[in-house]
Amino acid sequence: MPNPPAQTPDDVAPAVSELDTIVSLAKRRGFVYPSSEIYGGINAVWDYGPLGVELKNNVKRAWWRAMVQERDDIVGLDAGILMAPQVWVTSGHVGSFSDPLVECQTDHRRFRLDELPGAENLSATDLRDPGIVERLGLKCPVDGGPLSAPRRFNLMFKTFMGPVEDDAAVVYLRPETAQGSYVNFKNVQQSSRKKLPFGIAQVGKSFRNEISPGNFVFRMREFEQMEMQYFVKPDDAAAAFEEWLPRRWSWYTRFGVTESRLRFREHAADELAHYAKKAVDVEYRFPFGWKELEGIHNRGDFDLSRHQAESGQNLEYFDPATEQHFIPFIVETAGGPDRAAFTFLIDAYREEEVRGEIRVVLGLHPDLAPYKVAVLPLLKKRPEIVEICHRLRDDLARDVMAVYDDTAAIGKLYRRQDEIGTPWCVTVDVESLEDGAATIRDRDSMTQERVPIDNVKRMILERMTAARG
Ligand code: ATP
């Protein structure tokens, strides 16, 4: 597996040193806003604006394309967010989907123990040690007050189903999409007639009542996941796990993430989740350190065995070649479009000096860019020019996201598109009225090419195909 040299946060500089650079660009240009802002906001929920929803949809499409469309061994599923509560008992989430919480005895603020200064690198065993706060002399990072011993805090949101709000009506908002794939294993396998190995992919909302959310969209309480469960014969699980590592790594690099800001990190034995036999995270060098971008897990037969035992339904696979019945092992790839879109944004951001001025560019891969092309009139006072622009935009918009803008001078219009990552701008000028040609300007090289207007769309589509590789 690729193994870059960087091992500590300081070895590699982040693409952007201040997180605020991205947060303010995101707000200003309409990528991401704080939720319910006019009421003062709600912690750890963010809303995607006009450009953000395009970017996130593009990330989800790129993932679906790589994981479902381009593979004949993986099929999609869209399971409900609400599931039978027994699912979460069986999966172990009711019992053990928790983080260590400590509380300040003076201001009653609550913190996730492993995010306190001085406790970031504790082992999973230390995090369960009731004497750890005292042993390390940890204090409240806000007012220096004494902290309680850690206790486990369950991260699942609860709500009620139906008209009666009592214990019998409690249901959970799913904290992961994976369980929907496990309980549908038989349905999917039989209806799609897939033979092992095959996978089930899902993209959808998950909810976690995180103790210390933060770092913008990195850790939210409502977020989306892109998870794929790959069902294999037990003997093939270790090899399948190793195959998924480079595949998932190269998905990020294929869409532009700088290789040196990625690394793999294997979970220590005492850090493994209750279901995992082996787990490796793809980590990215965020402005706030190396953090998980995606996890790849060998879950063994834990999930299907448990669901078979608790539901009483046979979840075994019948292998016609060997005539054996067995519970498949599962290799899971678990990422999320919020963290991925955030990573693509950070990694694409650059500031360049052009003729004494700073130009901000989002060098997003064309497949991810919110708009693929902007159509700009050089003279908005000439109705013939404006009309050509609108016609061209309408034609382009049948195939790609295209935008028209005439609200500033051309230099400023280019800069605006650079800042939101639009790969190509097409400018129509007075000469276009004579020669029927327009100028295509490239975001990264800033080179300009004069082409017949009738060829613009074909050329843009060709460039998009070429960028896909
Ligand atoms: P962490 O260690 O960061 O809490 P985790 O190990 O609990 O993450 P998983 O359960 O492996 O995360 O979740 C799979 C993926 O779902 C993560 O890699 C991430 O992309 C996404 N994800 C998980 N929790 C959140 C969250 N609170 N906000 C945004 N994305 C999340």
Coordinates of all heavy atoms in Angstrom, one line a residue, residues 97 112 208 210 217-221 223-225 227 267 275 292-295 297 334-336 338-339, ligand 1:
F97 N -21.8 2.0 21.6 CA -21.4 3.1 20.7 C -21.3 4.4 21.5 O -22.2 5.2 21.5 CB -22.4 3.3 19.6 CG -22.0 4.2 18.5 CD1 -20.9 4.0 17.7 CD2 -22.8 5.3 18.2 CE1 -20.5 4.9 16.7 CE2 -22.4 6.2 17.2 CZ -21.2 6.0 16.5
R112 N -15.0 15.6 25.2 CA -14.5 14.2 24.9 C -13.1 14.1 25.4 O -12.2 14.9 25.0 CB -14.6 14.1 23.4 CG -14.6 12.6 23.0 CD -14.9 12.5 21.5 NE -14.0 11.6 20.9 CZ -14.1 11.2 19.6 NH1 -15.0 11.6 18.9 NH2 -13.1 10.4 19.1
R208 N -25.0 11.5 14.8 CA -24.3 11.2 16.0 C -24.3 12.4 17.0 O -23.9 13.5 16.6 CB -22.8 10.8 15.7 CG -22.8 9.5 14.9 CD -21.3 9.1 14.6 NE -21.3 8.0 13.7 CZ -20.2 7.4 13.2 NH1 -19.0 7.8 13.6 NH2 -20.3 6.4 12.4
E210 N -22.4 13.9 18.9 CA -20.9 14.0 19.2 C -20.7 14.9 20.4 O -21.4 15.9 20.6 CB -20.2 14.6 18.0 CG -20.3 13.9 16.7 CD -19.2 12.8 16.6 OE1 -18.5 12.5 17.6 OE2 -19.2 12.1 15.5
V217 N -17.2 21.4 9.0 CA -18.0 20.3 8.7 C -17.3 18.9 8.9 O -17.8 17.9 8.6 CB -18.5 20.3 7.2 CG1 -19.4 21.5 7.0 CG2 -17.3 20.3 6.2
F218 N -16.1 19.0 9.6 CA -15.4 17.8 9.8 C -16.1 16.9 10.8 O -16.3 15.7 10.6 CB -14.0 18.1 10.4 CG -13.2 16.8 10.8 CD1 -12.5 16.1 9.8 CD2 -13.2 16.3 12.1 CE1 -11.9 15.0 10.1 CE2 -12.6 15.1 12.4 CZ -11.9 14.5 11.4
R219 N -16.6 17.5 11.9 CA -17.4 16.6 12.8 C -18.7 17.3 13.1 O -18.7 18.3 13.8 CB -16.6 16.4 14.1 CG -17.2 15.3 15.0 CD -16.4 15.1 16.3 NE -15.0 14.7 16.1 CZ -14.7 13.5 15.7 NH1 -15.6 12.6 15.4 NH2 -13.4 13.2 15.5
M220 N -19.8 16.8 12.6 CA -21.1 17.3 12.8 C -22.0 16.3 13.5 O -21.6 15.2 13.7 CB -21.7 17.7 11.4 CG -20.9 18.6 10.6 SD -21.8 19.1 9.1 CE -21.4 17.7 8.1
R221 N -23.1 16.8 13.9 CA -24.1 15.9 14.5 C -25.0 15.3 13.5 O -25.6 14.2 13.7 CB -24.8 16.6 15.7 CG -23.9 16.8 16.8 CD -24.6 17.3 18.1 NE -23.7 17.3 19.2 CZ -23.4 18.4 20.0 NH1 -24.1 19.5 19.7 NH2 -22.6 18.3 20.9
F223 N -24.8 14.4 9.4 CA -23.9 14.3 8.3 C -24.2 13.2 7.4 O -25.2 12.5 7.6 CB -22.4 14.1 8.9 CG -22.3 12.9 9.7 CD1 -21.8 11.7 9.2 CD2 -22.6 13.0 11.1 CE1 -21.7 10.6 10.0 CE2 -22.5 11.8 11.9 CZ -22.0 10.6 11.3
E224 N -23.5 13.1 6.3 CA -23.7 12.0 5.4 C -22.6 11.0 5.3 O -21.4 11.4 5.6 CB -24.0 12.6 4.0 CG -25.4 13.1 3.8 CD -25.7 13.4 2.4 OE1 -26.1 12.5 1.7 OE2 -25.5 14.6 1.9
Q225 N -22.9 9.8 5.0 CA -21.8 8.8 4.8 C -21.9 8.2 3.4 O -23.0 8.2 2.8 CB -22.0 7.7 5.9 CG -21.7 8.2 7.3 CD -21.7 7.0 8.3 OE1 -22.7 6.3 8.4 NE2 -20.6 6.9 9.0
E227 N -20.8 4.6 2.3 CA -20.3 3.3 2.9 C -20.5 2.2 1.9 O -21.6 2.1 1.3 CB -20.9 3.0 4.2 CG -20.6 4.1 5.3 CD -20.9 3.6 6.7 OE1 -22.1 3.2 6.9 OE2 -20.0 3.6 7.6
H267 N -5.3 0.9 13.1 CA -5.7 0.9 14.5 C -5.0 -0.1 15.4 O -4.8 -1.2 14.9 CB -7.2 0.6 14.6 CG -8.1 1.7 14.1 ND1 -9.3 2.0 14.6 CD2 -7.9 2.6 13.1 CE1 -9.9 3.0 13.9 NE2 -9.0 3.4 13.0
Y275 N -16.6 -4.6 16.5 CA -16.9 -5.5 15.4 C -15.6 -5.8 14.6 O -15.7 -6.7 13.7 CB -17.9 -4.9 14.5 CG -17.5 -3.5 14.0 CD1 -16.6 -3.3 13.1 CD2 -18.1 -2.4 14.6 CE1 -16.2 -2.0 12.7 CE2 -17.8 -1.1 14.2 CZ -16.8 -0.9 13.3 OH -16.5 0.4 12.9
E292 N -8.9 11.3 10.5 CA -9.5 10.3 9.6 C -10.4 10.9 8.5 O -11.2 11.8 8.8 CB -10.4 9.4 10.5 CG -11.3 8.4 9.6 CD -12.2 7.5 10.3 OE1 -11.9 7.2 11.5 OE2 -13.2 7.1 9.7
L293 N -10.2 10.4 7.3 CA -11.0 10.8 6.2 C -11.9 9.7 5.9 O -13.1 9.9 5.5 CB -10.0 11.1 5.0 CG -10.5 11.6 3.7 CD1 -11.3 12.9 3.9 CD2 -9.3 12.0 2.9
E294 N -11.4 8.5 6.0 CA -12.2 7.3 5.7 C -11.6 6.1 6.5 O -10.4 6.1 6.7 CB -12.1 7.1 4.2 CG -12.7 5.7 3.8 CD -13.1 5.7 2.3 OE1 -13.1 6.7 1.6 OE2 -13.3 4.6 1.8
G295 N -12.5 5.2 6.9 CA -12.0 4.0 7.5 C -12.2 2.7 6.7 O -13.3 2.6 6.0
H297 N -12.4 -1.4 7.1 CA -12.5 -2.3 8.2 C -12.8 -3.7 7.8 O -13.6 -3.9 6.9 CB -13.7 -1.9 9.1 CG -13.8 -0.4 9.5 ND1 -14.9 0.4 9.3 CD2 -12.8 0.4 10.0 CE1 -14.6 1.6 9.7 NE2 -13.4 1.7 10.1
A334 N -15.7 3.0 4.8 CA -16.6 4.0 5.4 C -16.1 5.4 5.4 O -15.1 5.7 6.1 CB -16.9 3.5 6.9
G335 N -16.6 6.2 4.5 CA -16.2 7.6 4.4 C -17.5 8.4 4.4 O -18.6 8.0 4.7
G336 N -17.3 9.7 4.1 CA -18.4 10.6 4.1 C -18.2 11.8 3.2 O -17.1 12.3 3.0
D338 N -19.2 14.8 3.4 CA -18.9 16.1 4.1 C -17.4 16.3 4.3 O -16.8 17.3 3.9 CB -19.6 16.2 5.4 CG -21.1 16.0 5.2 OD1 -21.8 16.9 4.8 OD2 -21.6 14.9 5.6
R339 N -16.8 15.2 4.9 CA -15.4 15.3 5.1 C -14.6 15.2 3.8 O -13.6 15.9 3.6 CB -14.9 14.1 5.9 CG -14.6 14.5 7.3 CD -14.2 13.3 8.2 NE -14.8 13.4 9.5 CZ -14.6 12.6 10.5 NH1 -13.8 11.6 10.3 NH2 -15.3 12.7 11.6
Ligands
ATP1 P1 -14.0 9.7 14.2 O1 -12.9 8.8 14.7 O2 -13.6 10.9 13.4 O3 -15.1 10.0 15.2 P2 -15.3 7.3 13.3 O4 -14.1 6.4 13.4 O5 -16.3 7.3 14.4 O6 -14.7 8.8 13.1 P3 -16.6 6.0 11.3 O7 -17.6 5.4 12.2 O8 -15.5 5.1 10.7 O9 -15.9 7.2 11.9 O10 -17.4 6.7 10.2 C1 -17.1 6.6 8.8 C2 -17.0 8.0 8.1 O11 -18.1 8.8 8.3 C3 -15.8 8.9 8.7 O12 -14.6 8.5 8.1 C4 -16.3 10.2 8.2 O13 -16.0 10.5 6.9 C5 -17.8 10.1 8.4 N1 -18.2 10.7 9.7 C6 -18.2 10.0 10.9 N2 -18.6 10.8 11.9 C7 -18.8 12.1 11.3 C8 -19.2 13.3 11.8 N3 -19.5 13.5 13.1 N4 -19.3 14.4 10.9 C9 -18.9 14.2 9.6 N5 -18.6 13.0 9.1 C10 -18.5 12.0 9.9

